[in-house]
Amino acid sequence: MAPQEFDTIAFRNALGSFTTGVTIITATAPDGTPVGLTANSFNSVSLEPPMVLWSLAKTSLSLDAFNEAIHWNVHVLSQDQQDLSNTFASRGENKFQGIALDKGISDAPLIPNCSARFQCKNIVTHDGGDHLIYIGEVLSFDQQTLPPLVFQQGQYAMTARKPWEGVALSSEPSSPQCSYNEDLLGYLLGRSHFQMLFRMRKVFDEQAHEDSHFFALSVLNIQSRLTLEQLNDHIEYTGHSLADSDIEFLINQDLIEILDDEHYQLTDHGRETSLVHIAQAKAIEEELIEKLGVGDVMALKLLLKRLITSTDPGLPDLWKTQEPK
Ligand SMILES: Cc1cc2nc3c(=O)[nH]c(=O)nc-3n(C[C@H](O)[C@H](O)[C@H](O)COP(=O)(O)O)c2cc1C
């Protein structure tokens, strides 16, 4: 086969299919200036002796510093460090401003709160086209259970683990006559919603609450002083609505009170009740994190937020105009 004509942009896009983590590599220049850049060319080389590599564009402003440096540190960034990644992907000075560095075994800057860190001594530098390839021996490393930041097709991403054994809700094959199947998104969302809130429902039942009462209390917890109409605007998407009789019930239970201008707010007892609901919801979430892992739960939340945004029927923004409590 004849060699392919190289379209550099298509080549770069094809490389983007190879999903990587995101690192920041740091060193100190001979004059003591700390240097660092975001890099996803990092990779493992050898276990014994422990060795890693990464490559640096020859156009980098930090080129001279890395060529002089005996040591460099690799920081595998966590999901919360996307802003840091952007800072170190810029060609500027003062990238380290505001970072309280840890003390490492060499003069290379050591950034805290990463998924993993490798403190290295440079062994050899190879020419690699428009990049230089640095291979280093790992002198020390550490790791934290912080889910890593991911980079794919030119975008930051999060990972969700795929269990080896596959995930099936039921072992029964669906009948050929039935086109309703367990992969239907609406079914998955509905079932996970009800399963997760099953224990919340027990709390409501104990308190003799309808779902709509729960919605009213949580909305009033976020925004106080709402009219019945405004409350209903916020909960319309749930298929529930509050009638005058619900408001009467909530007032009789000393959960909400009316202000002189037809607006409602939580009473102290209402606020406490709402806090019980929030505590219960947090306990359920903690258990889920135990089972799924913090990274998968973060990835799930991201997808749910995107789903909510893309299906928003135009709800009033509950969170934006939050009043200080
Ligand atoms: C996710 C990501 C990965 C990157 N990987 C590399 C890399 O492996 N090597 C490199 O030289 N530049 C890489 N860059 C680009 C540099 O971070 C960027 O050019 C930076 O401005 C270099 O800074 P400097 O010129 O101050 O050294 C990457 C950028 C991003 C956002």
Side-chain angles (χ1 to χ4, degrees):
M1 206 165 101
Q4 194 176 348
E5 283 252 328
F6 260 91
D7 173 341
T8 315
I9 294 171
F11 177 51
R12 188 197 275 237
N13 287 344
L15 288 175
S17 295
F18 185 62
T19 302
T20 66
V22 182
T23 73
I24 289 174
I25 321 263
T26 59
T28 295
D31 67 358
T33 310
V35 296
L37 78 153
T38 301
N40 67 342
S41 53
F42 170 72
N43 221 321
S44 57
V45 175
S46 157
L47 287 178
E48 280 182 82
M51 286 158 66
V52 295
L53 66 74
W54 65 285
S55 61
L56 178 66
K58 289 179 182 169
T59 51
S60 163
L61 295 178
S62 326
L63 189 74
D64 290 344
F66 278 107
N67 280 341
E68 297 288 330
I70 297 171
H71 296 97
W72 35 262
N73 290 339
V74 180
H75 307 80
V76 178
L77 299 187
S78 66
Q79 274 176 16
D80 290 336
Q81 291 178 310
Q82 187 172 323
D83 289 347
L84 205 61
S85 170
N86 289 335
T87 302
F88 279 82
S90 65
R91 289 171 75 85
E93 286 164 12
N94 296 332
K95 296 185 191 178
F96 291 87
Q97 208 167 24
I99 304 175
L101 296 172
D102 284 344
K103 183 136 186 58
I105 57 173
S106 73
D107 61 349
L110 194 59
I111 299 170
N113 304 324
C114 302
S115 289
R117 301 185 296 192
F118 301 93
Q119 300 188 56
C120 305
K121 181 171 188 235
N122 198 62
I123 301 176
V124 63
T125 307
H126 288 293
D127 190 70
D130 56 7
H131 280 59
L132 285 179
I133 303 162
Y134 294 84
I135 300 181
E137 182 182 356
V138 179
L139 303 179
S140 174
F141 68 94
D142 59 79
Q143 186 183 15
Q144 293 193 62
T145 50
L146 296 171
L149 184 63
V150 170
F151 199 69
Q152 186 187 46
Q153 297 292 9
Q155 283 206 322
Y156 294 113
M158 285 180 174
T159 50
R161 287 171 301 166
K162 237 184 142 186
W164 292 108
E165 66 275 14
V167 184
L169 290 179
S170 82
S171 49
E172 294 294 314
S174 61
S175 79
Q177 298 85 8
C178 177
S179 57
Y180 197 36
N181 90 32
E182 63 192 13
D183 263 349
L184 204 61
L185 185 59
Y187 167 71
L188 291 171
L189 283 169
R191 181 161 168 181
S192 49
H193 167 82
F194 287 115
Q195 281 184 196
M196 201 169 152
L197 293 188
F198 186 65
R199 280 171 42 205
M200 293 290 292
R201 177 143 290 109
K202 284 193 176 155
V203 175
F204 305 158
D205 288 348
E206 279 162 22
Q207 298 172 343
H209 282 310
E210 305 281 332
D211 284 4
S212 56
H213 300 164
F214 162 72
F215 292 129
L217 294 185
S218 36
V219 167
L220 284 172
N221 198 342
I222 300 161
Q223 273 196 28
S224 62
R225 303 177 64 88
L226 293 177
T227 62
L228 176 58
E229 195 187 342
Q230 286 171 323
L231 268 170
N232 274 328
D233 283 348
H234 281 295
I235 71 171
E236 191 191 0
Y237 74 96
T238 66
H240 293 273
S241 66
L242 293 155
D244 288 334
S245 55
D246 295 305
I247 293 292
E248 219 169 283
F249 173 85
L250 292 170
I251 290 176
N252 287 339
Q253 296 281 312
D254 185 30
L255 292 165
I256 65 171
E257 60 195 2
I258 187 162
L259 302 163
D260 45 15
D261 52 359
E262 296 291 308
H263 285 71
Y264 298 95
Q265 69 177 17
L266 294 180
T267 59
D268 287 346
H269 177 52
R271 196 170 299 285
E272 278 162 24
T273 307
S274 193
L275 289 179
V276 170
H277 296 162
I278 294 168
Q280 178 74 355
K282 283 192 174 159
I284 295 172
E285 180 170 336
E286 284 304 317
E287 281 176 30
L288 192 69
I289 291 172
E290 279 285 305
K291 286 184 185 155
L292 298 190
V294 66
D296 284 7
V297 171
M298 282 168 91
L300 175 65
K301 284 186 182 181
L302 177 72
L303 287 176
L304 288 174
K305 285 178 187 174
R306 291 181 59 195
L307 179 72
I308 290 169
T309 315
S310 60
T311 54
D312 184 3
L315 286 175
D317 194 334
L318 185 57
W319 307 94
K320 221 173 217 164
T321 49
Q322 189 172 353
E323 290 173 12
K325 300 234 167 79

